[in-house]
Amino acid sequence: LDRAGEVVWWASPGPDVLSTASRVRLDGRSVLVGTQLPELGGDEGSILDVALDGSTWRTIPTPGFHHAFAEVGDGSLVYVAADIRDYQGAPVMGDAIERVLPDDSVSELFNAWDYYVPTPLCSHYAPVDYAGGAIDWTHGNSVVWDPERDQLLFMARNWDAIVEVDLSGGVPGLQLGGAGSDFAFPDAEYAPFDHAHFSHITEGGFAVLDNGAHRDPTASRAAEYTVNREAGTLELSWEYWDPEGRYVSALGDVQKLPGGTHLVSWGAAGLVTEIDGQDVVWQIETEITGATGWIEYVPTLPGDPT
């Protein structure tokens, strides 16, 4: 969409699938669109690679895909995949990170089952219909490539934590937020994110749509954090609360634009705003019955003289 709200480019993944994540390729020539079926746990899932000039349309198989993917510098893709196993007599859904090479071969890079034990950290550790009644343990909803450190940032929503994952061996490193965090919040009663979503990192940190599922009263905000590795802290550097006090129950995203403003997708509210400090400078509200997921600012499209 342009700033007038007009559609200038689109691609449809087809009927009966969900698409919450899309990203312009690093070379700027095409858009990657992640797709999944409404029920998780099967071998379905794919990422569509659609050229911005319309010249090519390719389907990349991504078995078990849900929620999130990222492109890394060598041209490979990584994505979050559901892994349902029996644990103490009940099906439990954890998450793996799978890697797709340019030849479309898929191999497992990281699996939460290899390093962690299912633990009920909140009320969302419970059976869910969208996983066939399996207990929702990790609820991975984000994976981002950090080019500076050449590692992945994996968000486990139900842990309220981001885990740094080594890209070469898939070994988890430091944990940002949640129980057992390697970083502290200077104001622990106020600053921690609560069941957040993100797809972008910033210089020195990251930005999230902090859904606030367990906040009382429930309310959502956009937030940016600075990671102070020397002090071992996660410092809240900016926040913007929904002015109507709305609670966004699902999805969402925040991208910091080159000029310093923040582009915010309010997920299930179907609203996207650009915010300069505490002022809304641009907004679009959809008429669709779904939601807005990931967002990305594109200065120009191929062939666009502007």
Side-chain angles (χ1 to χ4, degrees), residues 77-165:
L77 303 175
V78 293
Y79 68 92
V80 181
D83 186 350
I84 299 176
R85 302 186 184 185
D86 182 81
Y87 180 75
Q88 296 183 344
V92 175
M93 182 173 66
D95 280 302
I97 297 177
E98 305 285 342
R99 190 168 191 171
V100 187
L101 297 179
D103 64 1
D104 289 353
S105 62
V106 179
S107 61
E108 185 175 279
L109 176 67
F110 160 84
N111 198 311
W113 287 99
D114 294 338
Y115 301 97
Y116 305 96
V117 175
T119 305
L121 297 177
C122 75
S123 59
H124 290 99
Y125 184 87
V128 290
D129 291 339
Y130 53 76
I135 294 172
D136 194 4
W137 169 32
T138 51
H139 199 103
N141 65 18
S142 312
V143 62
V144 180
W145 176 53
D146 180 352
E148 180 179 351
R149 295 179 175 275
D150 196 27
Q151 65 181 9
L152 302 176
L153 300 180
F154 166 67
M155 170 77 83
R157 187 202 74 163
N158 287 358
W159 299 358
D160 289 327
I162 296 173
V163 177
E164 296 180 342
V165 177

Side-chain angles (χ1 to χ4, degrees), residues 26 71-77 99-102 145 167:
L26 296 178
E71 182 183 10
V72 299
D74 63 0
S76 65
L77 303 175
R99 190 168 191 171
V100 187
L101 297 179
W145 176 53
L167 191 56

